[in-house]
């Protein structure tokens, strides 16, 4: 969508007309050939500019491509002009935004025009995840000698910047699951691809499972038993009630929301590429986000889109009720990412654990958030951090680990503990 202004005389044309008329009038009035000689160039330029004035207004069509990028990647706004006859050059000016870096840094692009169709392009590099508005981008067409100008404003463009997942890897998990797909071997036998042993044929076994060599040697039908392929359901919970710390984009420091979003994307990418299922729930954002559990690369894109839509509220949000246990079905791994400044996230973690889920909490608070030039603010932060430490120890005593985010291997202690519990003997009723 664009708004235009018709061709209007510019300062250069008005200056040439005024100087030419005044100089000619002075030469005639004072009978001065010198003034007439000086006025001649201005008069020629004024007459020439008026004679070559564009007869029609150009038509502007702006587009952005690609409309979706990752952090650190660039997109380009392109303005296509038609009916540009009589235009000498075109200028595009992009406003300076916090998380969009235009090239050049001034945001001004100039292109010469030699045909009736012209274009101007402004590359922009997105340095932080989120949804960013490009406009309004101003476009000006200038005729010969800079005499007349036509202007337009192109608005309505938005760039979606997906978070760039942090570098992450984790040890394989032997977490028990009810699924039948994925890379992690199940702890129970079933229909799968990994060999578990040979056993006598039972009613209901498939004929393709019969091991004919063993059956011929023993004189009794035997089948090949396998382990059921397992898919772990990883439920991600992101606390977006507030953002702590200063964000410098992809090239600078990370705030608490930056760490939470990039860590959630990294965890989702890791488990989805292994064939597991991942779900997402965002709390506290002005735009609620929830993604149902699924698997595959297309599902990773859905999760990154939901993370990119997070907008921390500018006011202090009211504490909402804890999530219900039926929000996550099955025996899932629940991972909550939060700066833990408010005790709400820890209450949510305890509520999920009370419904039988395996829960871990990742602390995303920056280490220098308590640094302040104001002594009172610094003292308040130190007191709150002491209270926060007591709350974290209380949560750990009930069996919920609180881990720091350090990239690769951050979840290894938690996953090893989950694997140990899965392999331990369990009590069962008889």
């Amino acid at each position: 969508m664009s708004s235009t202004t018709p061709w209007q005389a510019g300062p250069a044309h008005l200056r040439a007309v005024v100087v030419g008329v005044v100089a000619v009038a002075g030469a005639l009035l004072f009978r001065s050939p010198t003034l007439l000689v000086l006025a001649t160039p201005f008069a020629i330029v004024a007459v020439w500019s008026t004679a070559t004035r564009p007869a029609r207004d150009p038509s502007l069509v702006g587009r952005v491509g690609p409309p979706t990028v990752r952090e650190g990647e660039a997109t380009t706004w392109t303005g296509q002009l038609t009916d540009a006859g009589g235009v000498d050059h075109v200028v595009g000016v992009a406003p300076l935004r916090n998380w969009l870096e235009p090239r050049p840094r001034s945001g001004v692009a100039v292109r010469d025009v030699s045909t009736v169709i012209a274009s101007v392009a402004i590359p922009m590099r997105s340095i932080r995840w989120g949804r960013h508005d490009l406009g309004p981008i101003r476009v000006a067409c200038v005729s010969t000698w800079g005499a007349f100008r036509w202007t337009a404003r192109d608005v309505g463009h938005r760039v979606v910047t997906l978070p760039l997942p942090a570098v992450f890897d984790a040890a394989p998990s032997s977490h028990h699951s009810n699924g039948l797909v994925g890379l992690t071997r199940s702890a129970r036998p079933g229909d799968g691809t990994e060999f578990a042993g040979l056993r006598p044929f039972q009613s209901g076994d498939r004929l393709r499972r019969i091991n004919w060599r063993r059956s011929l040697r023993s004189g009794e039908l035997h089948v090949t038993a396998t382990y059921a392929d397992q898919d772990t359901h990883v439920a991600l919970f992101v606390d977006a009630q507030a953002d702590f710390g200063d964000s410098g984009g992809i090239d600078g420091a990370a705030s608490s929301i930056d760490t939470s979003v990039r860590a959630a994307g990294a965890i989702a990418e890791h488990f989805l590429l292994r064939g597991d299922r991942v779900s997402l729930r965002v709390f506290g954002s002005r735009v609620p986000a929830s993604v149902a559990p699924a698997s595959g690369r297309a599902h990773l894109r859905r999760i990154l889109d939901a993370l990119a839509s997070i907008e921390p509220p500018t006011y202090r949000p009211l504490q909402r009720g804890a999530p219900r246990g039926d929000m996550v079905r099955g025996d899932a791994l629940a991972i909550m990412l939060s700066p833990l400044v408010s005790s709400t996230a820890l209450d949510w973690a305890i509520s999920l654990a009370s419904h039988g889920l395996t829960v871990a909490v990742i602390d995303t608070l920056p280490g220098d958030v308590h640094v302040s030039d104001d002594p009172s603010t610094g003292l308040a932060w130190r007191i709150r951090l002491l209270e926060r430490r007591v709350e974290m120890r209380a949560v750990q005593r009930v069996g919920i680990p609180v881990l720091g985010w350090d990239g690769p291997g951050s979840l290894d202690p938690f996953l090893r503990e989950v694997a140990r519990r899965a392999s331990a003997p369990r009590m069962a009723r008889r």
Side-chain angles (χ1 to χ4, degrees):
M1 181 183 297
S2 60
S3 59
T4 62
T5 302
W7 288 102
Q8 295 179 351
H13 182 67
L14 295 177
R15 184 165 52 248
V17 171
V18 171
V19 172
V21 171
V22 172
V24 170
L28 296 176
L29 180 63
F30 298 103
R31 297 181 181 181
S32 174
T34 303
L35 289 178
L36 185 60
V37 171
L38 294 177
T40 300
F42 292 95
I44 294 175
V45 169
V47 174
W48 188 353
S49 301
T50 304
T52 58
R53 174 180 177 175
R56 301 178 59 182
D57 291 341
S59 178
L60 174 67
V61 177
R63 64 179 185 273
V64 175
T68 302
V69 296
R70 290 286 188 96
E71 286 182 296
E73 295 180 349
T75 186
T76 302
W77 175 89
T78 304
Q80 189 77 22
L81 290 165
T82 57
D83 295 333
V87 176
D88 186 68
H89 60 272
V90 58
V91 181
V93 181
L96 299 181
R97 300 294 186 184
N98 289 333
W99 308 119
L100 293 174
E101 293 182 348
R103 293 291 186 270
R105 296 296 297 270
S106 61
V108 179
V110 181
R111 294 292 183 271
D112 295 333
V113 179
S114 58
T115 62
V116 295
I117 299 178
S119 65
V120 59
I122 304 178
M124 299 183 185
R125 179 173 176 261
S126 182
I127 61 174
R128 190 174 188 258
W129 56 271
R131 303 176 185 271
H132 310 302
D133 293 326
L134 293 183
I137 296 179
R138 293 175 294 171
V139 178
C141 294
V142 182
S143 66
T144 307
W145 297 103
F148 295 92
R149 293 186 304 179
W150 175 89
T151 59
R153 290 164 56 93
D154 189 30
V155 297
H157 297 291
R158 170 170 288 188
V159 174
V160 178
T161 304
L162 302 180
L164 184 65
V167 179
F168 176 72
D169 193 10
S173 171
S174 298
H175 184 255
H176 178 71
S177 175
N178 296 325
L180 296 176
V181 295
L183 298 180
T184 307
R185 195 192 73 182
S186 176
R188 60 183 176 85
D191 191 8
T193 58
E194 187 168 351
F195 178 77
L198 298 174
R199 60 173 176 80
F201 181 86
Q202 299 176 358
S203 177
D205 288 336
R206 298 183 178 182
L207 296 180
R208 64 183 180 87
R209 293 290 185 181
I210 297 177
N211 190 299
W212 294 105
R213 292 184 179 180
R214 180 62 180 272
S215 300
L216 291 175
R217 287 197 302 266
S218 63
E220 184 180 357
L221 283 178
H222 282 72
V223 296
T224 301
T226 58
Y227 287 107
D229 293 332
Q230 172 189 358
D231 70 327
T232 301
H233 176 195
V234 180
L236 299 177
F237 296 87
V238 177
D239 179 10
Q241 294 185 98
D243 192 11
F244 299 96
D246 297 326
S247 175
I250 192 65
D251 301 323
S255 64
S256 62
I257 288 291
D258 289 343
T259 304
S260 298
V261 168
R262 292 167 187 160
I267 296 172
E269 183 179 36
H270 171 76
F271 284 101
L272 287 173
L273 295 182
R274 292 176 55 86
D276 297 323
R277 293 176 297 135
V278 178
S279 62
L280 174 68
R281 186 70 179 266
V282 179
F283 294 96
S285 174
R286 286 188 291 181
V287 180
S290 180
V291 181
S295 59
R297 292 184 178 273
H299 189 62
L300 175 62
R301 172 60 185 273
R302 287 191 289 269
I303 289 180
L304 294 178
D305 282 336
L307 292 173
S309 66
I310 293 178
E311 295 182 11
T314 55
Y315 59 93
R316 183 177 180 180
L318 298 176
Q319 294 186 358
R320 302 178 182 178
R324 305 183 308 274
D326 57 0
M327 285 173 31
V328 182
R329 298 181 180 179
D331 192 9
L333 293 175
I335 301 176
M336 181 166 291
L337 300 99
S338 171
L340 302 179
V341 175
S342 172
S343 60
T344 306
L346 295 177
D347 295 338
W348 292 342
I350 294 175
S351 176
L352 292 172
S354 65
H355 288 83
L357 300 178
T358 304
V359 183
V361 178
I362 296 180
D363 180 13
T364 61
L365 186 69
D368 58 348
V369 70
H370 61 281
V371 178
S372 176
D373 297 334
D374 186 4
S376 301
T377 303
L379 178 61
W381 265 112
R382 287 195 293 271
I383 295 175
R384 179 61 194 122
L385 292 179
L386 290 175
E387 297 174 348
R388 176 177 175 269
R389 193 176 305 171
V390 173
E391 296 170 354
M392 291 167 58
R393 284 200 295 264
V395 172
Q396 290 173 336
R397 282 196 294 267
V398 300
I400 300 177
V402 180
L403 310 171
W405 178 254
D406 298 322
S410 299
L411 293 179
D412 282 356
F414 168 64
L415 296 179
R416 281 195 293 267
E417 179 64 20
V418 171
R420 187 188 65 81
R421 293 178 184 178
S423 60
R426 299 183 179 182
M427 297 181 61
R429 294 182 178 180
R430 296 195 176 187

